[in-house]
Amino acid sequence: MNNILSSLVGNMQTFRDKTAITESSRSITYGGLNALSNVYLRQLQEQGIQAHDVVAIELERSIEAIAAMVAVLKAGAAYTVINKDYPDSRKQTMRSTIQVKATINEVLQPDPLLEDMWDFPARSAEQLCYIVFTSGTTSTPKAVGIPDRGVLRLLGDERLGLSPEKTISHISPLEFDASIIEIWGGLLSGMTISLLSKTEILNIYHVEKRISQGIDVMWITCSLFNFWVDKKPEMFRSLSRVIVGGEQLSLSHVNEVLKYTTVVNGYGPTENTVFTTLDVMEQGSVMKEIAIGTPVHGTQTFIVNESGESAAEGELYAGGQGVAIGYLGNPEKTNEAFIRWQGRDVYKTGDLVRLNEEGKIVYLGRKDTQVKINGYRIDLQEIEYTVRAQGIRNCHAFVREKKIYLAITTRSEQLGQVLKQLLPMYMLPSRIVYVQEIPLTANGKTDTRTLYEQHFLSKNKKLAQILQQYLPGAALNEQTNIFEQGIDSVTVWEIAREINQRFNADISFFDVFEHPSIEQLSSMLGEESYAANYL
């Protein structure tokens, strides 16, 4: 597979009458997909689109959206997906950054007369294929340019389990790079793509029904995987494998699903074309540690310490055919992340890893302010930059329990609404709290732990922390009577003192006796003392 377009066209001819994409109530064959994509191609040609131009696609995840992507490649161009729900200012920034020449936003119908049109300009492996925008440290998102070779190299890895006789699901947002696995992995392997709607994805019984109708391979984010496993792990039984990624996997959830099918951990930043490493955990096995595995086909990985030398623990560098062209329109950031190291072109992932005894890579965490939530990579500095641009003197964004929290030192009742106009939904803080100052640690760094515990923890959780401190090992819920846990009068005085200190309150020894549960103590303390805006 050395040319993405020739491979695609070859499959359209070979599997002409086979179903290429199926939705809940309709489907299209490979021949029909060729005809529909040629309708979009003709539209692009009428707009003067030429090789190496960039086309934006603003369509919902659908047969038409995939046909539009195929058309762009046939035109020799590259595509980017712009979510129509993004704020207008962000969409305009995205368009200007990569100089979008045309936009596909219409649902067109196939033209049977164009089904036998097969002659298209050749593409090279270095040609720009698609652009994914990822969060940056300023208010300008970074445009990652991925060439054809990156996609071709990825699909050459047999561990993904892609083959013509199988069906792969398509549930990822089109602007999310995992859709590359589902769409191009499916079409370039001659598979059937089973496209699930947003409504279906939110209903576990609809998902289970679609799986039982013949899905073999499924890619899902870690958060969605955990949610489904908690509800109904046996729903994965008929899959040959489930590929999970986007965030660090949960050992308990993986082991639960291994009773029913094989789990593949897919790790990798967008800048190295979706996946950099894979780890296959076979059905029936029991894992003791989650590893991100070994390099994908056509990929080299290097672990580099702070001295810039190879090591068993350090930052992960990625090299090979998957490395992106760079950040389009941003040479400064490109030069920071895409470097020459020991004579090789590599991408510095910013991820800290180590090599385990089996020779597999284990993920340890991030070096910088980037985090992954629900599969989306977010740079917290971009949120802070956007907030400060609204006249906020100081702020700090951080993540706890997979939620974004924001502390601000300037009162702003409208900030939540303003951010909705400037940031995508997945980057919006779950809670914004006004604080007089951002606390610092002894060495001058932001004291995120203190900030969270003092201003973001709910009153009941704060009380639970206090009581647990004096009742170690006790199973406490909000209704538990603490005097059933065998505490003495000295401990009651200590609890009262700690509550007064934490809440700036004035409760007595007898108040604790009369209100012996978290729920009762909470109601006695009344409203919390800090101001907060809820989004």
Side-chain angles (χ1 to χ4, degrees), residues 1-15 34 70 73-74 118-125 127 148 152 184 187-188:
M1 197 185 289
N2 55 16
N3 183 300
I4 195 169
L5 188 56
S6 63
S7 298
L8 181 59
V9 171
N11 280 346
M12 286 178 167
Q13 293 174 316
T14 302
F15 304 107
N34 186 54
V70 173
L73 297 193
K74 287 179 174 180
W118 302 102
D119 188 21
F120 312 105
R123 295 179 65 94
S124 72
Q127 200 160 341
D148 286 18
L152 292 171
W184 301 121
L187 296 180
L188 294 177

Side-chain angles (χ1 to χ4, degrees), residues 92 140 176 194 205 243 318 321 400 531:
Q92 183 55 43
T140 304
F176 189 30
S194 182
Y205 298 103
I243 306 167
Q321 294 299 304
R400 285 291 186 278

